[in-house]
Amino acid sequence: MNGQYPSTLLEKAVNEFAKLPGIGRKTAMRLVLHLLRQDTAAVEAFGNAIVTLKHEVKYCKVCHNISDTETCRICSNPQRDSSVICVVENIRDVMAVEATQQFRGLYHVLGGVISPMDGIGPGDLEIESLVQRVAAGGVKEVVFALSTTMEGDTTNFYIYRKLEKLGVKLSVIARGISVGDELEYADEVTLGRSIVNRTPFTGAV
């Protein structure tokens, strides 16, 4: 056992928390000690919530967003505009756009962006399912809302080439988002304006 830990169990717990993104060992220690100070019922509720999430969470069969059911609440909402699809990288981006309350269409979560350096190609993303959604009809506009990075622009261009002959309007959110920024970190006002003031996507990268 590492000498700085009075308990192997404590050390193991800290090691697990430290594996989470953005959590260093000092923060992990504070979190573990906080849990130790809570009553057993509270800690069990915390643990059960994580285990239940892992075992029971689903991904929407339409847009691939996280859901409690086969079709998420956004896709199954008749008040949403099903003729407009906003293409995002991940689930956090759906939450970011929804927080603006400016977009009333549907989403398509790719699950990442094309990044050869990271070994991520088009086949690793939900691109073909997007093409199938558009080809099935009823979609009038596809809005690209990927991060303004080289990988995001490359992914935009790849999808554009896949969709350009399907007769739908292809748009990109206005560049109120600084080049190189991740979408999830944009403030709600800027992101909202970018969604509303989208422009035609010409395929230029």
Side-chain angles (χ1 to χ4, degrees), residues 9 20 29 33 45 73 92 96 110 118 139 150 174 192:
L9 295 176
L20 298 173
M29 175 66 83
L33 292 178
R73 288 182 293 180
R92 295 189 301 273
L110 296 177
D118 297 317
V139 177
M150 181 181 296

Side-chain angles (χ1 to χ4, degrees), residues 9-127:
L9 295 176
L10 176 64
E11 182 179 7
K12 288 181 177 179
V14 170
N15 288 340
E16 293 303 316
F17 271 89
K19 293 177 183 178
L20 298 173
I23 303 294
R25 297 195 68 81
K26 288 184 178 180
T27 300
M29 175 66 83
R30 285 197 297 269
L31 292 172
V32 172
L33 292 178
H34 170 77
L35 288 175
L36 279 177
R37 290 192 296 269
Q38 307 307 303
D39 60 53
T40 302
V43 177
E44 288 180 347
F46 174 81
N48 289 337
I50 301 301
V51 173
T52 301
L53 172 69
K54 181 61 179 176
H55 286 301
E56 298 184 13
V57 74
K58 297 178 175 62
Y59 290 89
C60 177
K61 65 180 181 181
V62 178
C63 72
H64 312 292
N65 191 15
I66 275 183
S67 177
D68 293 333
T69 56
E70 287 193 0
T71 304
C72 73
R73 288 182 293 180
I74 295 175
C75 287
S76 59
N77 186 347
Q79 296 183 337
R80 305 291 295 218
D81 184 358
S82 61
S83 70
V84 182
I85 295 177
C86 180
V87 179
V88 296
E89 178 180 345
N90 54 48
I91 293 154
R92 295 189 301 273
D93 292 341
V94 173
M95 297 171 67
V97 175
E98 281 295 284
T100 70
Q101 299 183 1
Q102 298 295 316
F103 181 71
R104 298 303 301 166
L106 304 182
Y107 294 92
H108 192 88
V109 181
L110 296 177
V113 288
I114 297 172
S115 178
M117 292 289 290
D118 297 317
I120 302 174
D124 299 310
L125 307 176
E126 293 293 347
I127 293 177

